[in-house]
Amino acid sequence: GVRNPYNPQDAASNGTPVVKGELWLNELRVSGFDNTNGWAANMRGSTNFADLGSISGSVSHQTYGFGALESQLGQRNTSQTTSYNLSGTFNVNKLFPEEVGLNLPVSISTSSSVSTPEFLPTQGDIRFSEFESAVKARDDLNDTEKDDLIQDRLQSTQTVSETFSIN
């Protein structure tokens, strides 16, 4: 070890009040990394209503740890993501007699994506599930306060994207 003979009560003592140094490490290895496997699912569908219109949609879900077969550990999902898309085109003019001469196609679309990280962004090594368990174990809060605290943290960590359009 490094020993500094400085004694703050004896001004004549050898040594210095501040010791500075540099430490060089030749090898730094990481062990015990999280190798959690994830999964993903996609679903798509569409249907036509003769001349009246068509509807199509898709749903996608990916969990923490999902990645391609050849992906390395750092390339896997670090969050859980659920998204959907729904769109439709309708020929409103088909609801009126042809004599009216109306041509009115209407397109409607909506999409949503919610991404929840596995780890708290401000405390990178704490899982959200561990935070949730710790809050539920607290005795100084009632159930409503616990639920509010968990929901506040969840909403502050989630990334939510929603769109809606009519043309």
Side-chain angles (χ1 to χ4, degrees):
V2 177
R3 186 175 177 120
N4 184 5
Y6 177 72
N7 183 354
Q9 297 167 347
D10 181 12
S13 68
N14 294 334
T16 177
V18 178
V19 176
K20 294 182 181 180
E22 251 180 73
L23 178 64
W24 288 63
L25 299 174
N26 191 13
E27 292 184 25
L28 183 61
R29 296 181 184 201
V30 177
S31 64
F33 55 85
D34 185 4
N35 197 15
T36 303
N37 294 328
W39 58 272
N42 294 317
M43 182 175 67
R44 299 187 198 295
S46 64
T47 186
N48 290 324
F49 299 105
D51 291 343
L52 185 59
S54 63
I55 296 176
S56 63
S58 65
V59 176
S60 173
H61 183 77
Q62 295 181 350
T63 63
Y64 168 74
F66 175 74
L69 291 176
E70 67 277 355
S71 67
Q72 296 177 355
L73 186 63
Q75 297 171 325
R76 296 184 184 168
N77 280 359
T78 57
S79 61
Q80 177 172 297
T81 305
T82 302
S83 60
Y84 72 84
N85 297 303
L86 184 63
S87 63
T89 302
F90 303 99
N91 297 317
V92 178
N93 54 300
K94 297 296 181 181
L95 299 174
F96 299 101
E98 285 188 29
E99 296 84 31
V100 175
L102 183 65
N103 186 8
L104 187 60
V106 176
S107 296
I108 299 173
S109 66
T110 184
S111 65
S112 176
S113 178
V114 177
S115 179
T116 307
E118 178 72 11
F119 295 92
L120 297 176
T122 57
Q123 299 162 320
D125 59 344
I126 298 177
R127 295 179 190 271
F128 183 81
S129 59
E130 292 170 355
F131 167 78
E132 188 174 17
S133 297
V135 169
K136 288 181 178 180
R138 289 178 61 174
D139 294 331
D140 60 330
L141 300 174
N142 63 36
D143 289 342
T144 304
E145 292 172 327
K146 291 176 186 179
D147 291 341
D148 290 345
L149 183 59
I150 291 169
Q151 282 302 314
D152 287 346
R153 182 62 64 97
L154 180 62
Q155 288 177 352
S156 70
T157 60
Q158 282 183 329
T159 303
V160 178
S161 171
E162 294 179 336
T163 61
F164 180 77
S165 66
I166 297 176
N167 299 323

